[in-house]
Amino acid sequence: MNYYSLNYNSSLVGFLGAVRKGLAPDRGLYFPEKIPLLSEDFINNITNFSNHELALNVINPFVQNDIPKERLKSIVEETLNFDFPIIPISDSIASLELFHGPTLAFKDVGARFMARCLAYAHEVREQKKLTILVATSGDTGGAVADGFFKVEGIDVVILYPKGKVSEVQKKQLTTLGENITALEIDGTFDECQNMVKSVFIDPEITKNITLTSANSINIARWLAQMFYYFIAYKNRPNPRKELIVSVPSGNFGNLCAGLVAHKMGLPIKHFIACTNINDTVPRYLDSGNYEPKKSISTISNAMDVGDPSNFIRIQKLFNNDFQKLKKEISGYAFSDPQTRKAIKEIHTKSKYIADPHGALSYLGLKTYLEGLEKDTAQGIFFETAHPIKFAPTVEATLKLKIDPPKQIEKVLDKPSLSIPISDYKSLKDFFLAR
Ligand SMILES: *Cc1c(COP(=O)(O)O)cnc(C)c1O
């Protein structure tokens, strides 16, 4: 399988080439030359496959000879080494919990998969040490740090904004040590991101250090998210009803992976794209005009994105045909008060404790299902983070205390190790000293 740049000005690369580069040299996102089709037989017998077998079959055509199948099998097994339970909320709505990984957010799957693919690339090609550079507003950094921890041949440098990540997130970023370095930036997330961009184009730094990014545009992170949709379909509570999937969206990598799964032949009837008031995509679905705007802070902060980076891939999947796209996807945007109300409603109905991102996707799903004429659909919303990661909001809304899961206890009493960085000059000095 080859990948081309959506700016159409870089040469084709194979799977591992695209994973190593992240972004194409012409700054475009990589896109597969074709979307493979799964056989009807495979779909009809989906319940006979384990999660590992499913994932291997789904990802193998995208990787092909770049990683031998036996090795890809163990990569997939190590990536998906936790549960993905489906919890019923009402007759027609269930939650697919994607947060049982080591950092309690769904980003663990993509980060773990990418880390293991890169480790293989390093082994067989004996290339120079690779430095992963990433800015985080919270969840990405933790998942990347954990996913790449102790991976041979790879160093990770994470920039996070001082005072703007939660206590749990900070611990997840700063307590690992070894090949993971956390830099505490005196600034906002946007400033962290700008610093990362400046490092990538700073010849004095890139002369000696091979850099790549681990954000959600990397094809290994993007495509591994297809697994959720196959697991959702396999374990859906009502196999006789049509399946509707609702996805809380920020950069739209997750939803875009679902659309790839659909194009491969997975029978998902409709997709719901839910956002907070950073509503660029829902507005686009209304008007046909894509008008990004500056991001605004909300209680579902992993989705505070004004210009979703993966949206161009979604448009490509539909060959830029707005009418076709609109048929498959409905968009909803909700405010913080609506999100809090949804957290309460879910808890009252079923005792289920949702985090703000999951609650918002529940709300979009419920709104859509209520608009259908007949009760012929089964809805599944993605619960993308454990509520403990947003404990202040959830506990204040429900007036209760959330039990900390074991993954949290592991990091809470470890000391934080981070290096304070005040401006670009001190960041540059940090790299030049390495
Ligand atoms: C990153 C994230 C999202 C948004 O996912 P995208 O693929 O960027 O759309 C949603 N929920 C949580 C908890 C996240 O960490």
Side-chain angles (χ1 to χ4, degrees):
M1 176 74 80
N2 283 320
Y3 293 80
Y4 62 93
S5 161
L6 287 179
N7 281 352
Y8 305 100
N9 224 341
S10 296
S11 30
L12 291 177
V13 289
F15 176 79
L16 285 179
V19 177
R20 277 185 70 91
K21 283 206 168 66
L23 208 57
D26 64 4
R27 319 293 303 154
L29 272 63
Y30 280 117
F31 199 84
E33 261 192 325
K34 54 178 185 290
I35 307 288
L37 275 181
L38 293 164
S39 71
E40 251 176 71
D41 232 33
F42 178 80
I43 301 291
N44 292 338
N45 292 306
I46 204 160
T47 49
N48 298 337
F49 292 94
S50 69
N51 286 352
H52 293 158
E53 288 164 345
L54 259 186
L56 180 61
N57 274 290
V58 166
I59 203 72
N60 189 46
F62 289 94
V63 179
Q64 282 178 354
N65 304 328
D66 272 35
I67 303 177
K69 199 158 178 194
E70 265 314 298
R71 178 61 177 261
L72 190 59
K73 179 165 178 274
S74 50
I75 290 177
V76 160
E77 287 169 0
E78 287 168 27
T79 300
L80 302 178
N81 68 344
F82 43 88
D83 292 336
F84 297 84
I86 294 184
I87 314 291
I89 303 294
S90 69
D91 282 349
S92 52
I93 295 183
S95 161
L96 171 58
E97 294 186 346
L98 303 175
F99 59 70
H100 292 272
T103 73
L104 305 168
F106 83 105
K107 291 187 173 69
D108 279 328
V109 168
R112 291 166 76 75
F113 183 70
M114 177 181 167
R116 283 158 182 79
C117 292
L118 278 180
Y120 173 77
H122 182 76
E123 250 173 71
V124 292
R125 300 188 181 180
E126 282 185 57
Q127 275 153 331
K128 277 198 305 194
K129 191 166 204 118
L130 198 58
T131 299
I132 306 271
L133 179 61
V134 67
T136 185
S137 56
D139 275 352
T140 298
V144 168
D146 192 273
F148 286 84
F149 184 51
K150 291 188 182 171
V151 171
E152 199 64 37
I154 297 173
D155 280 341
V156 176
V157 177
I158 298 168
L159 281 68
Y160 68 93
K162 180 175 176 180
K164 296 195 176 63
V165 300
S166 76
E167 208 38 46
V168 169
Q169 287 172 331
K170 184 175 169 180
K171 286 283 184 185
Q172 290 175 333
L173 292 171
T174 58
T175 55
L176 290 171
E178 302 253 1
N179 63 331
I180 314 292
T181 307
L183 304 180
E184 185 173 76
I185 308 296
D186 195 2
T188 61
F189 169 62
D190 286 341
E191 284 162 333
C192 293
Q193 220 161 12
N194 286 334
M195 282 190 182
V196 164
K197 282 184 192 154
S198 305
V199 171
F200 273 108
I201 53 171
D202 191 325
E204 285 179 70
I205 298 174
T206 54
K207 183 171 71 180
N208 296 317
I209 302 177
T210 312
L211 290 170
T212 193
S213 160
N215 58 25
S216 68
I217 56 115
N218 193 292
I219 59 157
R221 281 194 55 191
W222 170 43
L223 293 172
Q225 303 177 95
M226 289 190 297
F227 303 157
Y228 313 141
Y229 298 82
F230 285 89
I231 294 173
Y233 183 77
K234 181 178 89 163
N235 296 331
R236 66 203 191 283
N238 249 317
R240 278 191 302 277
K241 291 184 174 180
E242 285 166 331
L243 179 61
I244 317 267
V245 176
S246 178
V247 186
S249 297
N251 269 317
F252 280 76
N254 192 359
L255 182 80
C256 187
L259 294 166
V260 174
H262 183 245
K263 205 153 192 181
M264 291 174 82
L266 188 68
I268 292 177
K269 177 73 181 163
H270 199 69
F271 290 88
I272 317 289
C274 297
T275 70
N276 54 34
I277 52 169
N278 295 287
D279 59 353
T280 302
V281 171
R283 276 187 294 116
Y284 165 80
L285 288 164
D286 272 344
S287 69
N289 298 322
Y290 186 76
E291 290 164 349
K293 50 180 197 192
K294 246 185 112 123
S295 68
I296 305 162
S297 304
T298 72
I299 55 169
S300 46
N301 62 23
M303 314 199 304
D304 294 349
V305 182
D307 187 4
S309 50
N310 279 289
F311 193 67
I312 181 167
R313 282 183 172 141
I314 295 187
Q315 286 184 303
K316 180 71 207 173
L317 275 170
F318 291 97
N319 285 321
N320 298 307
D321 183 333
F322 176 66
Q323 293 308 330
K324 273 196 191 141
L325 188 150
K326 228 177 112 100
K327 258 196 9 222
E328 307 284 347
I329 313 170
S330 298
Y332 296 95
F334 299 106
S335 65
D336 282 355
Q338 287 174 307
T339 308
R340 285 201 186 87
K341 224 176 121 199
I343 293 175
K344 272 194 205 146
E345 178 182 312
I346 296 169
H347 190 253
T348 309
K349 240 189 202 154
S350 68
K351 291 269 171 289
Y352 189 76
I353 303 177
D355 97 294
H357 306 78
L360 205 144
S361 64
Y362 159 85
L363 205 51
L365 179 59
K366 193 183 100 166
T367 311
Y368 178 80
L369 291 177
E370 281 170 357
L372 294 180
E373 276 170 26
K374 281 189 261 139
D375 174 28
T376 52
Q378 165 72 55
I380 289 183
F381 70 91
F382 283 1
E383 180 44 298
T384 44
H386 191 291
I388 195 92
K389 290 197 95 168
F390 301 92
T393 299
V394 178
E395 291 182 344
T397 304
L398 296 180
K399 304 192 174 54
L400 49 70
K401 271 232 107 32
I402 304 168
D403 291 333
K406 60 179 188 307
Q407 292 97 320
I408 294 279
E409 284 163 1
K410 241 178 30 194
V411 293
L412 279 187
D413 19 282
K414 285 202 198 147
S416 283
L417 314 157
S418 66
I419 300 172
I421 297 284
S422 53
D423 51 18
Y424 186 69
K425 187 182 172 301
S426 55
L427 179 63
K428 186 163 173 165
D429 289 343
F430 162 83
F431 276 107
L432 295 181
R434 278 166 86 82

